[in-house]
Structure formats: structure tokens, C-alpha cells
Amino acid sequence: MNQNPLNLIKIINHALLDKERGLGNLNIKIDKKEIELLAYLAGGDARAALNSLDLAVKAKKIGKNKELKITAEDI
């Protein structure tokens, strides 16, 4: 079932903040532009968006201030 892009953005933001089932325990820095890119590339599929985010996070090394900066290139 295709999701509205705004719903996907909400789902991605929730995953970034959720400390129990999401990525909220990590210090992830990602701009609105990259979140919108994830939603767009997922083609309405929330699982694809979340899997892509997870892969981008796992592929990054922790940088300054123990943060993970996700860029469009990472996505």
C-alpha cells in the first residue's frame, strides 16, 4: 500500500526519535532535505524508507561529537 509522502516523513522522523524500537539512542544528524529524499525514493513504501535509513546509518562511522551525519550521498 502506497503511503502519502508526508506520512512517510512522519514515519522516518518517528524512527529517528524512538529510543525503544527506532534509532533514537544514536546521535543521528539528518537534514529535512535528506528525509524528504528518503521518502521520495521509497516510492510510498514505508519499509523501503526505513530499511534505507537503517542501511545509511549502519554504513556511517561515528564522527565528531559522537554523531552520525547522514547526507544525500549516503542515501
Side-chain angles (χ1 to χ4, degrees), residues 24-65:
N25 289 320
L26 302 173
N27 188 12
I28 299 171
K29 301 297 178 198
I30 184 170
D31 293 332
K32 179 181 175 184
K33 175 178 71 171
E34 280 73 27
I35 292 172
E36 291 171 352
L37 178 62
L38 269 171
Y40 171 76
L41 292 175
D45 186 339
R47 288 177 302 173
L50 294 174
N51 286 337
S52 296
L53 175 61
D54 191 48
L55 286 172
V57 167
K58 287 179 178 176
K60 291 298 285 192
K61 292 185 180 182
I62 295 175
K64 293 180 182 179
N65 301 323

Side-chain angles (χ1 to χ4, degrees), residues 58-74:
K58 287 179 178 176
K60 291 298 285 192
K61 292 185 180 182
I62 295 175
K64 293 180 182 179
N65 301 323
K66 296 189 178 189
E67 72 179 25
L68 294 165
K69 175 69 174 154
I70 305 298
T71 65
E73 185 177 291
D74 300 320

